[in-house]
Amino acid sequence: MAHTPAPGAQRLLDHAIWWHVYPLGALGAPAVLEGGVDAPVEHRLPRLVAWLDHVVELGCSGVLLGPVFAASSHGYDTLDHDRVDPRLGDEGDLDQLIEEARGRGLSVLLDGVFNHVGADHPMVHDPDRAHLLKQGEDGRPAAWEGHEGLVELDHGNPDVEQLVVDVMLRWLRHGIAGWRLDVAYAVPADFWARVTARVREEFPDALFVGEVIHGDYAQVVADSDLDTVTQYELWKAVWSSIHDTNCWELAHALGRHDALLDSFVPQTFVGNHDVTRIATQVGEEARRSRSRCS
């Protein structure tokens, strides 16, 4: 049976419009964190405060932040889940951003990278914590999908479950509304079910959005107890209907979407950090013309 979202999470599912921003890129941070987690702090994160009134004017009701934790480069190669990336600022900067957002009625989601850590994460080089990592056939930590800079966590290990619970609770106590779960499709569904159940004991209204690209979305939600997953099928059909005048794909995707609403509210989106922006995807001519699928 699928998880029934608490009232607070359901309100976000039904009504929230998220402004998705990738702070490392939007704020012009260096591509690489030179010096590791103890590098000099650059207070870039407060610059996002100036954008919040614009976010409200756009009609958004929430801010979905890309990775903000210390990482080697792009943010998804985490070095420390408990420390704000020095290229962005410090904990006080993040607290200020959350407070300023909430003061404008904006909820904040953080990007939780819990499938893997960066290859330079201290646990990768600590024999006492090697058990937290999935081991490859060669006995070395397993690289995620062949990316040597990313090392998979062992989600069958109770200590990994505890680590994720602790991180989630730590930042929920700072006032965020919930988590976007990176690469949720690669993590066992029962792991998410155990973690979210424990976190909801303290934060029943927390929202959990799983990044899922394809597959049986409704079954993933039912098995994982996540509140929702990303609706990539509809995203693809939207730009295809404009770029290729593929009205059949859009009609099929909308039918699928309507059926999904019987069990959960999918997280729809126009674009995100992983895909080409829709204006670029459809091209100049299509941007200027009306959709022929109306």
Side-chain angles (χ1 to χ4, degrees):
M1 180 180 295
H3 163 73
T4 301
Q10 190 65 59
R11 282 194 296 272
L12 293 175
L13 289 168
D14 290 342
H15 304 295
I17 300 174
W18 301 97
W19 185 65
H20 192 174
V21 60
Y22 176 63
L24 289 168
L27 300 174
V32 176
L33 178 60
E34 300 287 354
V37 296
D38 294 320
V41 173
E42 297 289 340
H43 299 278
R44 292 183 170 89
L45 208 51
R47 298 179 196 169
L48 286 180
V49 173
W51 285 86
L52 296 180
D53 290 335
H54 175 64
V55 172
V56 173
E57 291 172 2
L58 288 174
C60 298
S61 52
V63 177
L64 199 173
L65 292 173
V68 296
F69 304 128
S72 295
S73 58
H74 46 66
Y76 292 93
D77 46 359
T78 313
L79 297 175
D80 189 341
H81 289 96
D82 290 324
R83 186 179 301 195
V84 173
D85 196 301
R87 293 172 291 174
L88 296 176
D90 56 23
E91 190 168 315
D93 294 327
L94 181 56
D95 283 342
Q96 178 193 357
L97 178 58
I98 294 170
E99 181 179 353
E100 292 281 356
R102 294 178 69 190
R104 292 167 172 80
L106 297 168
S107 302
V108 176
L109 288 186
L110 291 185
D111 205 334
V113 186
F114 301 124
N115 174 67
H116 51 262
V117 295
D120 292 325
H121 193 291
M123 74 170 65
V124 178
H125 309 285
D126 182 355
D128 292 333
R129 291 194 284 175
H131 64 289
L132 300 175
L133 305 172
K134 186 178 293 184
Q135 303 299 311
E137 294 181 359
D138 58 0
R140 300 173 57 195
W144 177 63
E145 292 189 353
H147 299 288
E148 293 298 328
L150 305 176
V151 177
E152 288 189 77
L153 292 170
D154 182 358
H155 298 94
N157 191 307
D159 290 341
V160 172
E161 178 183 323
Q162 186 64 52
L163 181 153
V164 175
V165 169
D166 289 344
V167 172
M168 285 186 173
L169 289 175
R170 165 166 163 65
W171 296 105
L172 281 163
R173 291 167 185 153
H174 282 250
I176 66 170
W179 292 90
R180 172 205 178 261
L181 302 174
D182 184 60
V183 198
Y185 59 86
V187 175
D190 60 335
F191 177 85
W192 293 130
R194 294 193 303 273
V195 165
T196 55
R198 294 176 60 186
V199 173
R200 287 184 178 116
E201 290 177 3
E202 183 173 344
F203 293 96
D205 287 329
L207 179 67
F208 297 97
V209 180
E211 182 196 16
V212 176
I213 298 175
H214 50 70
D216 188 337
Y217 292 160
Q219 192 63 53
V220 171
V221 170
D223 292 344
S224 65
D225 265 358
L226 300 180
D227 294 303
T228 185
V229 296
T230 48
Q231 226 304 23
Y232 268 90
E233 288 182 1
L234 186 55
W235 161 79
K236 167 61 169 58
V238 166
W239 72 253
S240 288
S241 72
I242 301 171
H243 184 270
D244 303 322
T245 319
N246 192 338
C247 306
W248 294 108
E249 181 183 356
L250 180 59
H252 177 74
L254 287 170
R256 289 258 300 165
H257 185 78
D258 286 347
L260 292 173
L261 289 170
D262 291 335
S263 55
F264 77 102
V265 180
Q267 180 82 357
T268 59
F269 59 96
V270 176
N272 62 34
H273 64 288
D274 282 325
V275 301
T276 303
R277 292 190 178 191
I278 190 168
T280 303
Q281 185 74 264
V282 301
E284 182 70 24
E285 182 179 351
R287 292 206 306 270
R288 296 179 180 277
S289 64
R290 296 183 59 183
S291 172
R292 285 168 283 181
C293 291
S294 58

